[in-house]
Amino acid sequence: MRLHFSPRAAALSGAACAALFAGCVTRPLPLAPADEPAYVVLGEQGQGTARLVTRARACPDIAVDGQAAPMRVRVPHGPIPLRPNADPALRGAPNSAVLACEFPLPPGARSASVRGQALALPAAAPRRIVVLGDTGCRLKKGTWQDCNDPASYPFAQVAAAAAAWKPDLVVHVGDYHYREDPCPAGRPGCAGSPWGYGWDTWRADFFAPGAALLRAAPWVMTRGNHESCARSGQAFWRYLDPRPYQAGRDCDQPRDDALGDHGDPYAVPLGNGAQLIVFDTSNTNWRGLPESDPRRARYRDAWRRIDALARNASYNIGVDHHPLFAFGANQDAKTGKVTLFGGDKGLLDAFGDMDKGYLPASISMLLSGHVHLWEQVSFSSRHPTQLVSGFSGTAEDTVPLPAAIPPGAGPAPGAIVEHFSSWVDGFGFMTLERTGAASWEVGVWDREGRRRNRCAVEGSKSRCELAQVQGK
């Protein structure tokens, strides 16, 4: 890629300038505020794009390998517009005006920085991967999380611990945003919290607490149901999706939601014959998708695209928000009886139309979130290992899963459980460390960065040291 220089190119740091041009004139670069971190998202074929969301009215320069070029405007300065059919109460939600900037990073770049902040560049073959999800603080009628209390909402601590692990790549499995309703009066644990779908809430829910990890490594940003068009899809398309910003796919107008609620699958190479295949499940329905629902056909098309992408690598890891092959638990308030539920019914309906195993056989592992816990499931049937990492910040699921799955129980028809492990009611993050062409070591870490479980993945099978992590 050829860098195009602007008159602002002289705004290099003194060290970079001295290395390139004897006697050039420099001026100090303004540093980014702590809650305006520059970050790198990975998209199709691993293309890295530098991003910045800023309250400034003009995009700054980016320095790549010591040369400066202007970042491009992704979304002009302004607040996120209120959707025409939005709840009128949202007119009172904080929604500051910001500018979204971006710059596609040239392959092979050795260094890059924005406003004095060094960017973590993509690795050709990342070996150390952090996986986390469901990171926002839940403010929703009926469930109030104490966003002001790090013990109740520890995403900043989790992000810092994950950054200290020094990953090459971060994979977020969706649901960044949870502050949908105002904190009730008289509740100090969340008093003063922003709410709604604007920048102020996204800054509080994701960009500020996640700053250390945003700076540590490039990110793969998976879309969750909290980022559907009816919720916070507008911000997802503006700030996190790796593809070019496109009017009509931005969730601004409900009439365009059929387009805005579906992003095509894409692949991110991991080197040595492996890749991630990221697919958007934000608009599925856990109750199921009847044949008359157009979403069923859209997800069938997504399956075809996943299958085509999977043919390009020898080892494939699917990445989505909704698990297909995991368990959650409900508890009857009167009797205390615990019942298990399985994978997302809408996806099983649509994907089952295409393959009785639900995903192409060439998918060996599936990374998901949505269920607010950590979980591992491996099968004697041909289904991929399922790993769930939805325990990184939002109010957790606390109904306990059993230490062993009852005989005959499965998360999807035909999926026969062989090995199972879980951790309920504990915050943390998961890691994948590559140990071979088709093998990985999985680490399960608490909010303080202490390892609580270890698993081995070989091909499509996995097994953990502990069947169940006990305690927080």
Side-chain angles (χ1 to χ4, degrees), residues 39-368:
Y39 54 102
V40 174
V41 297
L42 298 188
E44 297 177 20
Q45 294 307 309
Q47 168 64 52
T49 302
R51 290 271 173 82
L52 174 71
V53 184
T54 176
R55 291 177 287 273
R57 292 183 173 272
C59 290
D61 285 348
I62 182 171
V64 179
D65 291 337
Q67 298 181 333
M71 295 188 80
R72 305 169 184 173
V73 173
R74 177 173 174 83
V75 184
H77 187 275
I80 293 177
L82 199 65
R83 282 164 57 95
N85 63 345
D87 185 336
L90 287 170
R91 297 187 184 279
N95 188 6
S96 295
V98 291
L99 170 70
C101 306
E102 65 183 354
F103 188 86
L105 295 167
R110 299 181 302 278
S111 67
S113 63
V114 175
R115 297 199 297 188
Q117 177 190 314
L119 297 174
L121 298 181
R127 300 186 66 86
R128 295 168 62 85
I129 303 173
V130 161
V131 184
L132 76 172
D134 298 271
T135 51
C137 184
R138 182 180 286 276
L139 295 182
K140 186 74 172 174
K141 291 182 177 65
T143 306
W144 307 106
Q145 192 171 357
D146 290 335
C147 307
N148 302 331
D149 180 2
S152 175
Y153 177 56
F155 177 42
Q157 184 182 17
V158 169
W165 190 74
K166 299 188 182 304
D168 302 316
L169 177 66
V170 176
V171 176
H172 195 298
V173 291
D175 280 5
Y176 311 77
H177 172 280
Y178 276 86
R179 305 185 197 210
E180 297 183 272
D181 293 325
C183 179
R187 188 179 179 96
C190 55
S193 173
W195 61 281
Y197 302 120
W199 163 249
D200 301 72
T201 306
W202 271 82
R203 179 179 60 203
D205 237 9
F206 180 66
F207 285 97
L213 193 52
L214 283 165
R215 293 186 173 109
W219 285 55
V220 169
M221 306 285 198
T222 316
R223 189 178 181 187
N225 59 294
H226 278 249
E227 291 80 51
S228 67
C229 281
R231 301 176 91 172
S232 204
Q234 291 171 286
F236 181 84
W237 284 113
R238 282 163 166 77
Y239 309 146
L240 302 186
D241 190 83
R243 288 161 283 217
Y245 184 70
Q246 177 183 325
R249 196 178 59 182
D250 52 16
C251 295
D252 283 0
Q253 297 294 330
R255 65 173 180 268
D256 297 326
D257 285 359
L259 176 63
D261 265 330
H262 296 275
D264 288 339
Y266 60 93
V268 177
L270 298 177
N272 302 318
Q275 65 179 2
L276 304 175
I277 299 178
V278 186
F279 52 103
D280 180 351
T281 64
S282 61
N283 200 33
T284 185
N285 188 331
W286 63 272
R287 294 182 177 87
L289 293 174
E291 186 58 48
S292 58
D293 192 318
R295 291 176 291 178
R296 186 157 174 162
R298 291 297 298 262
Y299 286 121
R300 284 199 296 257
D301 181 64
W303 188 99
R304 296 184 189 96
R305 294 172 185 268
I306 293 167
D307 184 46
L309 289 169
R311 297 174 189 274
N312 298 325
S314 56
Y315 191 86
N316 292 286
I317 301 174
V319 184
D320 79 328
H321 181 63
H322 296 83
L324 276 74
F325 309 115
F327 294 94
N330 291 318
Q331 189 168 32
D332 187 277
K334 294 182 179 179
T335 66
K337 182 180 178 181
V338 174
T339 56
L340 299 179
F341 59 87
D344 182 85
K345 181 66 164 56
L347 295 177
L348 293 175
D349 285 344
F351 289 176
D353 292 341
M354 307 302 299
D355 189 306
K356 294 306 180 184
Y358 304 103
L359 283 176
S362 51
I363 303 292
S364 295
M365 189 190 311
L366 181 61
L367 308 178
S368 308

Side-chain angles (χ1 to χ4, degrees), residues 24-38:
C24 68
V25 177
T26 67
R27 68 177 187 271
L29 286 170
L31 295 178
D35 62 349
E36 292 187 11

